[in-house]
């Protein structure tokens, strides 16, 4: 005879809330990472912006 207890309703509800919060946090982190990659300028654009000599200076 086993003495395993059936989880109570409050325990199941608590687990459901914790699982939902964890999934929500992962989704939020995913959105932040995706937004950061999307808004970061390309490497060539960043190098172009950092260059003090512009195309007008080269033209003479």
């Amino acid at each position: 005879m086993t003495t395993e207890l059936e989880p109570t309703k409050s325990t199941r509800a608590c687990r459901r809330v914790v699982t939902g919060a964890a999934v929500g946090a992962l989704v939020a982190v995913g959105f932040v990472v995706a937004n950061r990659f999307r808004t970061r300028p390309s490497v060539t654009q960043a190098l172009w912006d950092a260059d003090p000599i512009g195309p007008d200076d080269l033209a003479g």
Side-chain angles (χ1 to χ4, degrees), residues 5-19:
L5 297 174
E6 188 70 26
T8 61
K9 284 186 179 182
S10 62
T11 302
R12 285 184 294 206
C14 183
R15 285 182 185 165
R16 185 176 253 177
V17 168
V18 169
T19 303

Side-chain angles (χ1 to χ4, degrees), residues 31-40:
F31 276 126
V32 168
V33 169
N35 192 24
R36 178 161 296 196
F37 280 126
R38 192 179 52 159
T39 58
R40 182 177 294 167

Side-chain angles (χ1 to χ4, degrees), residues 1-6:
M1 187 167 163
T2 63
T3 57
E4 276 189 43
L5 297 174
E6 188 70 26

Side-chain angles (χ1 to χ4, degrees), residues 21-52:
V23 169
L26 287 175
V27 168
V29 168
F31 276 126
V32 168
V33 169
N35 192 24
R36 178 161 296 196
F37 280 126
R38 192 179 52 159
T39 58
R40 182 177 294 167
S42 65
V43 173
T44 55
Q45 183 66 41
L47 291 174
W48 183 264
D49 292 341
D51 188 9

